[in-house]
Amino acid sequence: MPAPLDFWFSIGSPYTFLAVMRLSEIAERAAVEVRWRAFDARAIQVEANDAPFADRPLKATYMWRDIERQAARFGLTVRLPIPYPLAEFERANRVAALAAGEGWCPAYAIASYRHWFVDREPAGGEPNLSASIREAGQDPARVLGLANSEAGIATLDAATNEAREIGIFGSPSFVADGELFWGHDRLEDAIAWQHNLDQGNPG
Amino acid sequence: MPAPLDFWFSIGSPYTFLAVMRLSEIAERAAVEVRWRAFDARAIQVEANDAPFADRPLKATYMWRDIERQAARFGLTVRLPIPYPLAEFERANRVAALAAGEGWCPAYAIASYRHWFVDREPAGGEPNLSASIREAGQDPARVLGLANSEAGIATLDAATNEAREIGIFGSPSFVADGELFWGHDRLEDAIAWQHNLDQGNPG
């Protein structure tokens, strides 16, 4: 069997909401195994001078309307407007990177986005942070102690370096055997690509 | 009946290739009437300091690979790499704006993109330009005389102003009764929105 599909994401990216909420079900239906990989997309975008929505009010307004329409199409509840950008972007993703290593990343990421997009509580900040950790079955004190330690910071940095080396430039991204797909709009394509790999067919 | 779906596009945008090639068939199947509206997306992007792929080599490399995959998925022939960006972007779109007024825009746009993406001849330059005008059933001398006149320049400028007032920031865009959809990935959504309008259903 080839390696699983890598799902590279940062909590804080608005479009990533759609991918985080939909990925598990779609992957399961296709019998595709997914590795959740949190990284710091903001750091990479700053390096590339590529903040697609900053200082572009028309595009930002469009983005929220588009997300609202897409969410409705997929039956996902959202209560816009929500706080944006996230003040505690890094902390949200340090916990996600730690969670990825410990095996409870999907539950944490889904809870973070739900509290952010439905309850309007910024991800990475309280009360969202501790509630999301708890909903993933973990103890907030333990997790936050680890996430804020040097090792916790290094875990996210290492993931971001790995993403950078692959050539990832935004969230969400999907990598199937070196083939990169960017954006929620490519979720189904990435799953199909991985499914073909798993079946032993060339992409 | 509500107004038709407006398809706002600039020849020269790589992703617009997919929309130009696929739109007519999809619209026809849904019994949706489309107005082709050429505008100068580059001028609007320059004003907004928003050139998504310029000076972003990773993203540009990804874009071409993504277009190649999407084209394969839709059965469209492409022979990448092709000349990019277009030196004669404005001229290609002055002719398109003129063609939109005279009713032969789809044939011209499709021919321009085919010569560019398959024969690797830049759109807006020769031999692509005259061949595409001819394939749309028009006389290149007449059309180019008009397109390069003050009136021809004013026609594209007026369309670009209209796009700017609507809040359009990129190509391809679709507008159904004031509802804006951006990107080839939203083509089907835009058609469905217009179809519902045509049926008298709220979006």
Side-chain angles (χ1 to χ4, degrees), chain A residues 95-111:
Chain A
V95 172
L98 175 70
E102 294 188 350
W104 45 276
C105 189
Y108 163 74
I110 289 167

Side-chain angles (χ1 to χ4, degrees), chain A residues 49 56 62 65 179 182, chain B residues 49 56 62 65 179 182:
Chain A
N49 184 30
R56 302 203 173 99
Y62 172 80
R65 174 64 181 142
E179 191 76 21
W182 171 53
Chain B
N49 183 30
R56 303 205 170 96
Y62 172 80
R65 175 64 182 141
E179 190 77 19
W182 172 52

Side-chain angles (χ1 to χ4, degrees), chain A residues 15 18 45 48-53 55-56 58-59 62-63 65-66 69-70 73 164 166-169 179-186 189 193, chain B residues 15 18 45 48-53 55-56 58-59 62-63 65-66 69-70 73 164 166-169 179-186 189 193:
Chain A
Y15 274 111
L18 299 169
Q45 289 186 319
N49 184 30
D50 184 16
F53 300 108
D55 303 319
R56 302 203 173 99
L58 276 182
K59 216 173 193 173
Y62 172 80
M63 172 191 71
R65 174 64 181 142
D66 187 49
R69 283 191 310 235
Q70 296 282 308
R73 178 179 158 192
R164 197 181 278 114
I166 292 169
I168 287 173
F169 51 83
E179 191 76 21
L180 173 63
F181 297 85
W182 171 53
H184 166 261
D185 290 328
R186 293 292 174 275
D189 287 0
W193 199 279
Chain B
Y15 275 111
L18 299 169
Q45 290 185 318
N49 183 30
D50 185 16
F53 301 108
D55 303 319
R56 303 205 170 96
L58 275 182
K59 214 172 195 174
Y62 172 80
M63 173 190 71
R65 175 64 182 141
D66 187 50
R69 283 191 310 235
Q70 295 282 309
R73 177 179 160 192
R164 196 182 278 115
I166 292 171
I168 287 172
F169 51 84
E179 190 77 19
L180 173 62
F181 296 85
W182 172 52
H184 166 260
D185 289 328
R186 293 292 174 276
D189 287 1
W193 199 279

Side-chain angles (χ1 to χ4, degrees), chain A residues 11-12 42 83-92 94 116 121-125:
Chain A
I11 296 173
R42 190 183 280 181
Y84 180 81
L86 293 184
E88 300 286 1
F89 183 98
E90 265 190 67
R91 190 160 62 166
R94 283 205 305 272
W116 182 24
E121 300 167 0

